[in-house]
Amino acid sequence: MQKSVRYNEGHALYLAFLARKEGTKRGFLSKKAAEASRWHEKWFALYQNVLFYFEGEQSGRPAGMYLLEGCSCERAPAPPKAVSGAAGGKDALDKQYYFTVLFGHEGQKPLELRCEEEHEGKEWMDAIHQASYSDILIEREVLMQKYIHLVQIVETEKIAANQLRHQLEDQDTEIERLKSEIIALNKTKERMRPYQGNQEDEDPDIKKIKKVQSFMRGWLCRRKWKTIVQDYICSPHAESMRKRNQIVFNMVEAESEYVHQLYVLVNCFLRPLRMAASSKKPPITHDDVSSIFLNSETIMFLHEIFHQGLKARIANWPTLILADLFDILLPMLNIYQEFVRNHQYSLQVLANCKQNRDFDKLLKQYEANPACEGRMLETFLTYPMFQIPRYIITLHELLAHTPHEHVERKSLEFAKSKLEELSRIMHDEVSDTENIRKNLAIERMIVEGCDILLDTSQTFIRQGSLIQVPSVERGKLSKVRLGSLSLKKEGERQCFLFTKHFLICTRSSGGKLHLLKTGGVLSLIECTLIEEPDGSEDDSKGSGQVFGHLDFKIVVEPPDSAPFTVVLLAPSRQEKAAWTSDISQCVDNIRCNGLMTIVFEENSKVTVPHMIKSDARLHRDDKDICFSKTLNSCKVPQIRYASVERLLERLTDLRFLSIDFLNTFLHTYRIFTTAAVVLEKLSDIYKRPFTSIPVRSLELFFATSQNNRGEHLADGKSPHLCRKFSSPPPLAVSRTSSPVRARKLSLTSPLNSKIGALDLSASSTTSSPTSTHSPATSPPPHTAVLETVSGDRATSESNPAVDIAELSPCRSPSTPRHLRYRPPGGQTADNTHCSVSPASAFAIATAAAGHGSPPGFNNSERTCDKEFIIRRTATNRVLNVLRHWVSKHSQDFELNNELRMNVLNLLEEVLRDPDLLPQERKATANILRALSQDDQDDTHLKMEDIIQIPDCPKAECFETLSAMELAEQITLLDHIVFRSIPYEEFLGQGWMKLDKNERTPYIMKTSQHFNDMSNLVASQIMNYADVSSRANSIEKWVAVADICRCMHNYNGVLEITSALNRSAIYRLKKTWAKVSKQTKALMDKLQKIVSSEGRFKNLRETLKNNCNPPAVPYLGMYLTDLAFIEEGTPNFTEEGLVNFSKMRMISHIIREIRQFQQTSYRIDHQPKVTQYLLDKTLIIDEDTLYELSLKIEPRLPA
């Protein structure tokens, strides 16, 4: 009898050889012997589903093998230790990792293994589990179950088919039987016809009975049919079909209007301009015509065809099948991509062509065509941008009322998905359009023009009125006072801040803007912001007391001319904090980008886009983040969807400092997280930067040189100064007020210089008490290269001559001794010297700008240690975010005292850091001061102050007040109410909820104030009994509305026009007959501006073309936009990610609102006028008004 199983030993040895070379997992494991529980160390190799073990790693023949198919592997507990074992032995056994391989049947003993490391044991368990083919067996079992289920279905279908076949045969037999009966009946009928012909003279009573029976049968049938029809009309299906038909009818009307708009664009603008371009003196070229109108004519032809198809479908009503039309339309909608992609360039070309007087005159002539209805060419060019989203909304509504079993349900869903995909592509290409339109509107307002605003990467940040203080040489302020009337009048400037430039303009009497001849356009790369000007100069000593700490300086150092200083005054400390925060963020941002470009192009020969590609987390979609194709101000793809963790990670990423992301996050964070979570993240970044920052971020922050990787100095000090990191963020740009020498880090960028090095030259001439030599003036810019020398050589250079040399303009008094200055072009004498990368030099320069180290901390360790640089960068990032948060979102801390105290505790903890640099200490103190002090300098008038004014004069009557006084005080009150709305009330549509008075009290107060002012206007008119007085009152209120328009108070214009359009006023025909034609024409002009047609399109264009705060827009326009965004897009995706694109749109609207809130009117409060305007006893309710109107002018008899 055979006792053993024979197998192919040669093939087994071959497999063992392959396992040694190419095994899935190889290594030493301890195998438990069968006897005495002893463990033997073997060398194991896993190949496919066979596990070989050898006596040693060099053994050629295996000691045994196990077939793993069908087995299972699990973790095993450590065996009990002997009591007599040593303590060291117990510790060693505790660190072992035990696991067992079970073979699934009783005949085979389990294989017990152990290894030294836990992670290695887990890798072995995963490999054995994969080799056991258990997943394949489970999948095979699942497939077998599916197969058996399908076989059962097939058998059931066969049985059902046989039953149906038998039924059909029975029906055929029944049909044949019925046919034979019909034939027999027909023969009987033919035989009875002669007899029926004889019965024509039937009894009249029988005829009457038959007629009554016929009538009753018809009545019963009609009644039953009417009941059926009524039941269907009241059914949900019929209601859904009615709504569906209404959506289709509205879609046809909207398509008809859109085709008409395209027709006007082509026939009133495109074709006439083509003819003008072919004239003898063409005002425009054919290329410019093609660039402006793009493929709009093709779009018109496409939609004319689609519109004809829709009308043909309507002709076949009630059968409305639209899916085939969308199937034809979808492949052709790709032409919109070309239109959207070039829309920005189209607006730029149009703006350039308008500078030609002949073209501008011709265009205004075309726009005066009645078919244009007063709309500009830019308006018609914008219509195609909104057509694809309109189709998506229509299909969404159509699908909501289309049953799931409807014949075109799937086709409509497919069309909607394709349109959404096309819309996402278009959204990425359209995101910059609004910014370009804003820039072009500002550029048109400047008489001289401004070429930098035609740059598509130039993003608008803020604008407002500031006062420029005159200065003399060397930056010494002339002795002026803030209260000086001449300073306020002559020094008032309209300022515009962009991501790269700062514009300063004067306003002429006609409202036009003129750039200053000197210092009108400031490049931020050449600027240094000084928030608290030093008081070291005699003439400027005590400037804080003179200007109430409202002034700040911008030091400009152009490369081709002498440096100069611009001193500006803000109206309040809050506005100063907002301006300095935004300017500081822009300067930091542009210098970060410049430094990043230098590091990756001059040293490592890697371009910035390649650096972004090297970190897939910055551009590649993942399960917790999704990017768009649009780049932000840091040239990093914008986030479309992301988890809260990834958004917080981007907020604290040390490589980037994007002001647009920071603004969006701080405006909308309460939608998806809380302030406590954000502050906790900032606190973690400050306290534990190495554990809180992602590893990949740190790796790219320090791109370590391969030649020096892992090497250290011989004396055990920090590594060589050859690490390169992508973008160390600059520290706070504000100057310290200490008497030591102020220094500035100037980054040379490819934008304005070909030199890719750091200029560490001094920027101030004030003397330092720590130095014995100071140059009188700053040396010209030069290229400096820093290098390191050995430690012993550095310590030997301590003689006085060296000390004097170290205080030269090329070296800071606090620069470490082992860093030396070497002129450009010189060669390194010692091969052991290591040149410093610009990133490290940046950290050294910012550390040196502190003018002295804290006691107990070595400068060499500070500048060379990676940990020090990371900590300083993390601290600076936390301070930047907190500064922006506190200065621009102070309401968060006023309403949340717990948050305020936590921030104060964090800032106090930062101040206690012994390694804190002076710039950081000053920035922390400024934030603390802004957060801890009450806003005592807020001189803004509040509505409560006006109402509670003691000893106010008696209110005057309407006849004694002039139109100017009324308009000014209406504007003042409207802006006070509008300014008081906190931005968090604009989130979540609280004004549309049941508890709106609790959730949005200030928005509701604004709405109530609007209604009160409108009621006052109507009541005042109706108070007059005679016709002439009412007509004069209407003319006066129209004049007040026109003055409000001139003061950019469009809310006041709408208050008055809505009152005049009330039914109680509008019906007074005799009164309106007395009103002059000029007043009526002016009334029509004002109504056209504030009309709600097209989502307030005229008011939007007016605000964009005359975008000069102070202004009071109509709040309802923005609330409509926010409601449209809230209802059209969800806050979170189906995967639970934050819809950050929606947050960006909400933030854009809130920024526009806050822009108008922050700039106040310079109008003196007149209590006698406001007392009249706020007197609610003069207001008559709506019903009483109409009764009074009927009494004044009764209805004419019909």
Side-chain angles (χ1 to χ4, degrees), residues 66-207:
Y66 293 93
L67 297 177
L68 301 178
E69 184 170 355
C71 72
S72 62
C73 186
E74 59 185 23
R75 173 78 181 272
K81 294 91 179 177
V83 179
S84 59
K90 291 182 181 180
D91 295 339
L93 287 175
D94 289 338
K95 296 181 179 178
Q96 302 288 338
Y97 187 85
Y98 296 84
F99 57 97
T100 306
V101 181
L102 305 174
F103 292 95
H105 55 88
E106 297 178 358
Q108 178 68 41
K109 294 182 179 180
L111 174 62
E112 299 184 31
L113 302 172
R114 74 179 185 187
C115 60
E116 298 294 332
E117 301 290 340
E118 182 178 354
H119 70 87
E120 184 179 359
K122 289 182 179 179
E123 292 177 358
W124 272 106
M125 288 180 66
D126 294 340
I128 292 172
H129 177 74
Q130 186 175 0
S132 66
Y133 301 151
S134 59
D135 294 338
I136 297 176
L137 292 175
I138 294 172
E139 186 177 356
R140 177 182 177 276
E141 185 67 25
V142 172
L143 292 176
M144 284 299 298
Q145 293 294 334
K146 290 183 179 179
Y147 172 73
I148 293 171
H149 180 65
L150 292 175
V151 168
Q152 292 175 352
I153 292 174
V154 171
E155 293 297 330
T156 305
E157 293 294 333
K158 286 182 179 179
I159 295 171
N162 289 330
Q163 293 176 352
L164 290 173
R165 192 179 297 109
H166 291 311
Q167 291 178 6
L168 290 174
E169 292 175 357
D170 295 341
Q171 294 294 332
D172 290 340
T173 306
E174 183 69 18
I175 289 171
E176 293 297 330
R177 187 183 65 80
L178 292 174
K179 283 183 178 179
S180 62
E181 289 182 2
I182 290 172
I183 292 172
L185 289 172
N186 287 336
K187 289 180 180 179
T188 306
K189 186 177 180 180
E190 288 177 358
R191 286 196 302 267
M192 292 180 66
R193 276 181 182 174
Y195 174 78
Q196 291 176 355
N198 296 329
Q199 300 294 329
E200 292 180 358
D201 298 334
E202 193 174 3
D203 190 359
D205 294 335
I206 300 297
K207 289 183 179 179

Side-chain angles (χ1 to χ4, degrees), residues 759-951:
D759 180 11
L760 303 177
S761 58
S763 63
S764 175
T765 60
T766 56
S767 60
S768 170
T770 60
S771 63
T772 57
H773 172 73
S774 177
T777 57
S778 300
H782 56 275
T783 303
V785 181
L786 294 171
E787 63 177 2
T788 61
V789 297
S790 58
D792 54 350
R793 188 173 171 184
T795 55
S796 64
E797 298 176 352
S798 59
N799 55 71
V802 175
D803 291 338
I804 294 175
E806 287 177 353
L807 296 176
S808 65
C810 302
R811 178 156 160 74
S812 167
S814 61
T815 304
R817 290 178 178 273
H818 62 285
L819 297 175
R820 312 296 290 164
Y821 169 73
R822 179 165 56 89
Q827 300 296 326
T828 305
D830 191 352
N831 293 333
T832 63
H833 297 171
C834 178
S835 61
V836 183
S837 68
S840 299
F842 179 87
I844 295 167
T846 54
H851 315 292
S853 304
F857 198 90
N858 192 343
N859 270 340
S860 62
E861 293 177 1
R862 166 181 287 186
T863 56
C864 300
D865 193 1
K866 176 194 295 188
E867 181 180 357
F868 173 77
I869 297 177
I870 283 290
R871 287 190 179 279
R872 298 278 59 80
T873 309
T875 301
N876 187 69
R877 169 51 56 89
V878 171
L879 292 178
N880 273 332
V881 174
L882 286 177
R883 170 185 180 177
H884 204 80
W885 196 357
V886 170
S887 63
K888 300 188 71 178
H889 305 270
S890 58
Q891 294 170 347
D892 291 2
F893 306 94
E894 296 171 1
L895 302 176
N896 190 343
N897 189 56
E898 182 181 359
L899 173 65
R900 180 171 171 271
M901 295 307 300
N902 290 336
V903 174
L904 287 173
N905 294 335
L906 177 60
L907 292 173
E908 290 172 356
E909 183 177 352
V910 172
L911 280 179
R912 290 193 294 267
D913 185 359
D915 298 333
L916 204 64
L917 298 178
Q919 298 97 319
E920 298 171 340
R921 192 174 301 279
K922 181 65 178 294
T924 308
N926 287 339
I927 300 173
L928 265 174
R929 188 185 309 113
L931 194 60
S932 59
Q933 70 179 5
D934 296 331
D935 197 7
Q936 299 174 354
D937 66 315
D938 188 7
T939 57
H940 292 308
L941 199 60
K942 297 181 180 179
M943 185 63 72
E944 293 78 6
D945 301 333
I946 295 177
I947 297 175
Q948 299 174 0
I949 290 179
D951 301 330

Side-chain angles (χ1 to χ4, degrees), residues 470 476-481 538-539 546-547:
K476 296 181 181 180
L477 295 177
S478 58
K479 296 182 179 180
V480 294
R481 291 283 174 178
D538 294 337
D539 290 342
V546 173
F547 299 124

Side-chain angles (χ1 to χ4, degrees), residues 269-290 359 362 366:
F269 293 100
L270 173 58
R271 290 172 180 170
L273 285 176
R274 279 181 181 168
M275 296 177 62
S278 302
S279 61
K280 291 183 179 180
K281 295 181 179 180
I284 188 174
T285 64
H286 284 285
D287 291 340
D288 288 342
V289 173
S290 301
F359 174 80
L362 184 64
Y366 293 157

Side-chain angles (χ1 to χ4, degrees), residues 124 167 311 415 421 441 453 610 661 897 929 987 1103 1157 1197:
W124 272 106
Q167 291 178 6
K311 290 198 294 186
E421 181 181 352
L453 297 184
H610 289 172
F661 174 84
N897 189 56
R929 188 185 309 113
L987 305 176
L1103 287 172
Q1157 284 181 325

